[in-house]
């Protein structure tokens, strides 16, 4: 078992809480003195920095939300001078107007440190060759993982996204041992490699995948691991918190969220009160050491749960369990909440179909209709009856998970658009 910073990663939970407490008190003063945005927000809330004496007072602090970043676009929430900002990124704007985030040199170092801890925890190090197949550029994925990889002394292959055949060729020729990309892109890579006559499992040295930036399920993990022979790890982050930040350890039981850098809360969305370990609620994060763009009680927009018990790996920092989905990824069909992840969960159990799918929502008179376009892996059967049976089994299974009838429509292999980044899973044709 190896650690990047053992003294921090395995520190006594009581000491960790004390450290968080001290950092929080400092942070509150820091943002109040430096940012007109925070001063105004605190004043409106009737809160003075002195009111926050320890972590126990966190509930007194106002929340921040993505809309605050939009309202103060591009840099109204920053707490440093422009000359101290050494990097900008901008979010992909999946949920509206893009937002700009900025980093000081210390912020970039802490970001790389967080990934270095996570990469070390899954056994990566100097001898590894890491292919970074997240997009480089304004999206935080590529550069974020890149600096983590360099920090642990691994050889970094900045493949970026796209150019899939070349990615596979390089993976093979350069003896790549680990890859970072979205789980949907890796599923596509496995398929594309097969088409090129190259089995990732048998003909490459790939052993580890770090997959995130979009929701994925435990069953997709199994499918990926079986087909490619690698260990697949979840990674979480958002551009507002820095980018990809937290990776699972070898136990694969949640992503360690480093408490010396971030304070995680899971709150009941209605009462804003903390929920116990294991209960799903709204993810709220405070950045304890960010300088350029510190966030206080930021409502990330994701639904998640935490496990704060000490992990099998010996690390004492809380674990963020697999995300349930973004509160705004959810679609409401005939009054029922549907997460695209639930559909993926069902499809992955059927070897006859690929994990690529599209949910098409439409309106049939007054009623919503939901169709799931599914790709057959091969169209070998000449018996129409086989397809009818498969369709019925899929619809039955979907209904039991979604509590709602969804029509399954088969499409030819390769027809659902493959994404190089985050997959688009829903086409909503309904008129409201
Ligand atoms: P944008 O909102 O512009 O897409 P980001 O690229 O920073 O911004 O996306 C962050 C979001 O991506 C998270 O809030 C979460 O919803 C999703 N996400 C990232 N990693 C994961 C993961 N491992 N599992 C589930 N969702 C994830
Ligand atoms: K997103
Ligand atoms: Zn662990």
């Amino acid at each position: 078992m190896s650690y990047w910073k053992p003294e921090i990663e395995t520190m006594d939970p009581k000491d960790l809480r004390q450290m968080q407490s001290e950092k929080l008190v400092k942070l509150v003063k820091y943002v109040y003195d430096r940012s007109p945005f925070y001063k105004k927000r605190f004043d409106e809330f009737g809160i003075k920095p002195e009111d926050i004496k320890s972590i126990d007072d966190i509930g007194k602090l106002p929340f921040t939300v993505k809309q605050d970043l939009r309202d103060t676009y591009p840099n109204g929430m920053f707490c440093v001078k422009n000359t101290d900002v050494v990097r900008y990124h901008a979010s992909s704007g999946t949920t509206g107007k893009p937002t700009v985030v900025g980093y000081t040199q210390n912020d970039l170092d802490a970001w790389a440190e967080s990934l270095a801890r996570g990469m070390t925890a899954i056994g990566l190090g100097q001898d590894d060759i890491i292919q970074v197949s997240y997009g480089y550029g304004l999206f935080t994925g590529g550069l974020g993982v890149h600096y983590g990889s360099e920090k642990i002394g691994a050889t970094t292959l900045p493949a970026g996204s796209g150019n899939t055949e070349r990615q596979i060729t390089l993976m093979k020729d350069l003896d790549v041992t680990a890859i970072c990309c979205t789980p949907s892109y890796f599923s596509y890579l496995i398929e594309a490699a097969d088409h090129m006559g190259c089995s990732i499992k048998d003909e490459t040295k790939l052993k580890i995948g770090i997959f995130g930036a979009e929701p994925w399920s435990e069953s997709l993990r199994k499918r990926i691991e079986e087909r490619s022979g690698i260990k697949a790890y979840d990674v979480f982050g958002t551009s507002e918190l820095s980018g990809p930040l937290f990776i699972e350890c070898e136990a694969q039981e949640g992503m360690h969220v480093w408490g010396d850098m971030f304070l995680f809360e899971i709150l009941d969305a209605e009462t804003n009160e903390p929920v116990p370990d294991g209960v799903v609620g709204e993810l709220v994060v405070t950045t304890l050491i960010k300088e350029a763009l510190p966030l206080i009680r930021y409502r990330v927009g994701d639904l998640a749960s935490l496990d704060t018990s000490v992990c099998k790996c010996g690390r004492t920092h809380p674990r963020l369990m697999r995300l349930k989905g973004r509160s705004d990824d959810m679609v409401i069909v005939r009054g029922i909440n549907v997460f695209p992840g639930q559909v993926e969960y069902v499809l992955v159990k059927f070897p006859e179909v690929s994990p690529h799918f599209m949910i098409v929502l439409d309106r049939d008179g007054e009623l919503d209709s939901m169709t799931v376009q599914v790709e057959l892996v091969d169209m070998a059967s000449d018996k129409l009856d086989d397809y009818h049976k498969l369709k019925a089994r899929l619809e039955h299974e979907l209904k039991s998970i979604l509590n709602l009838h969804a029509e399954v429509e088969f499409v030819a292999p390769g027809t659902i658009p493959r994404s190089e980044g985050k997959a688009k899973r829903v086409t909503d044709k309904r008129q409201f």
Side-chain angles (χ1 to χ4, degrees):
M1 186 77 66
S2 50
Y3 302 101
W4 181 254
K5 284 270 170 63
E7 68 290 356
I8 292 179
E9 292 172 47
T10 63
M11 74 191 281
D12 187 311
K14 275 204 223 72
D15 296 340
L16 181 57
R17 195 171 159 85
Q18 181 56 32
M19 181 195 260
Q20 291 184 317
S21 195
E22 286 161 19
K23 287 184 174 178
L24 180 68
V25 171
K26 267 200 208 147
L27 170 78
V28 168
K29 194 166 158 25
Y30 176 88
V31 299
Y32 191 82
D33 291 345
R34 285 169 168 256
S35 145
F37 166 85
Y38 278 113
K39 183 171 185 308
K40 183 158 172 272
R41 175 68 49 98
F42 283 25
D43 288 347
E44 281 165 3
F45 223 70
I47 273 278
K48 289 264 168 298
E50 308 80 82
D51 298 332
I52 307 302
K53 297 190 173 66
S54 81
I55 195 170
D56 298 330
D57 296 322
I58 188 155
K60 295 182 185 163
L61 288 167
F63 295 106
T64 50
V65 291
K66 192 147 191 152
Q67 190 59 38
D68 293 325
L69 285 161
R70 294 196 182 113
D71 292 345
T72 58
Y73 177 89
N75 57 3
M77 282 173 78
F78 284 33
C79 290
V80 296
K81 300 190 298 289
N82 283 347
T83 47
D84 291 327
V85 174
V86 298
R87 169 110 59 88
Y88 286 122
H89 278 287
S91 87
S92 45
T94 22
T95 58
K97 189 177 158 192
T99 46
V100 170
V101 293
Y103 311 78
T104 64
Q105 187 56 53
N106 285 337
D107 292 338
L108 291 183
D109 292 345
W111 184 7
E113 161 84 20
S114 174
L115 286 163
R117 291 184 198 171
M119 287 176 170
T120 306
I122 53 176
L124 293 173
Q126 278 202 68
D127 300 336
D128 285 287
I129 301 161
I130 304 183
Q131 180 164 347
V132 183
S133 303
Y134 278 123
Y136 278 71
L138 289 175
F139 176 58
T140 51
L143 282 168
V145 173
H146 182 103
Y147 281 92
S149 167
E150 285 196 346
K151 194 161 187 115
I152 60 166
T155 308
T156 309
L157 176 64
S161 63
N163 228 324
T164 303
E165 291 203 357
R166 188 170 66 180
Q167 300 236 13
I168 294 159
T169 306
L170 288 172
M171 176 190 290
K172 195 171 153 187
D173 295 347
L174 296 175
D175 290 337
V176 166
T177 57
I179 186 166
C180 314
C181 59
T182 58
S184 54
Y185 187 56
F186 190 70
S187 301
Y188 175 47
L189 273 176
I190 298 176
E191 231 176 52
D194 280 346
H195 282 140
M196 288 167 67
C198 162
S199 149
I200 289 188
K201 191 172 191 166
D202 302 323
E203 293 168 64
T204 72
K205 298 243 161 31
L206 199 69
K207 57 176 186 183
I208 284 174
I210 303 174
F211 303 128
E214 64 183 8
W216 57 307
S217 61
E218 210 44 47
S219 44
L220 184 59
R221 165 160 31 216
K222 285 210 192 75
R223 182 182 170 118
I224 285 177
E225 290 187 338
E226 274 164 26
R227 303 219 160 175
S228 63
I230 68 169
K231 282 269 260 175
Y233 296 99
D234 201 1
V235 59
F236 173 78
T238 85
S239 59
E240 303 90 309
L241 302 181
S242 271
L245 279 162
F246 313 110
I247 310 174
E248 287 179 306
C249 66
E250 277 176 339
Q252 291 181 316
E253 287 175 6
M255 301 165 271
H256 285 284
V257 294
W258 307 115
D260 55 322
M261 304 183 183
F262 296 90
L263 186 56
F264 273 63
E265 295 174 88
I266 306 285
L267 303 182
D268 180 305
E270 259 146 48
T271 63
N272 289 334
E273 289 299 317
V275 299
D277 269 21
V279 175
V280 174
E282 219 193 301
L283 179 60
V284 173
V285 184
T286 300
T287 65
L288 291 174
I289 58 168
K290 272 183 76 186
E291 295 175 338
L293 180 56
L295 292 170
I296 302 250
R297 302 195 88 199
Y298 182 70
R299 302 187 92 119
V300 180
D302 290 313
L303 301 173
S305 64
L306 280 183
D307 187 336
T308 55
S309 66
V310 176
C311 183
K312 283 181 189 141
C313 70
R315 290 178 180 81
T316 49
H317 297 239
R319 279 166 290 147
L320 178 67
M321 307 315 282
R322 192 181 280 290
L323 271 82
K324 183 118 179 72
R326 255 192 104 70
S327 32
D328 41 23
D329 265 352
M330 189 184 78
V331 288
I332 301 177
V333 187
R334 277 179 246 148
I336 294 175
N337 299 348
V338 174
F339 287 97
Q342 295 175 297
V343 173
E344 180 201 282
Y345 174 83
V346 169
L347 296 185
V348 166
K349 292 199 257 180
F350 288 80
E352 300 94 327
V353 302
S354 86
H356 306 282
F357 65 92
M358 180 67 77
I359 297 172
V360 182
L361 301 175
D362 210 338
R363 191 150 279 182
D364 191 4
E366 282 303 292
L367 221 53
D368 293 336
S369 68
M370 172 170 166
T371 306
V372 182
Q373 295 178 333
V374 175
E375 273 180 13
L376 290 162
V377 167
D378 66 67
M379 306 216 286
S381 174
D382 52 7
K383 280 182 280 166
L384 204 52
D385 200 34
D386 291 348
Y387 296 121
H388 285 308
K389 279 191 190 133
L390 178 61
K391 179 170 146 69
R393 275 167 55 223
L394 278 161
E395 286 174 355
H396 178 80
E397 195 65 22
L398 281 169
K399 172 136 201 202
S400 72
I401 297 285
L402 303 174
N403 285 317
L404 160 92
H405 173 74
E407 174 91 17
V408 166
E409 179 188 326
F410 291 129
V411 298
T415 37
I416 306 276
R418 303 301 195 250
S419 83
E420 291 163 357
K422 298 175 193 251
K424 181 176 183 297
R425 301 295 199 195
V426 180
T427 306
D428 198 342
K429 298 179 174 167
R430 294 175 296 181
Q431 304 286 326
F432 288 100

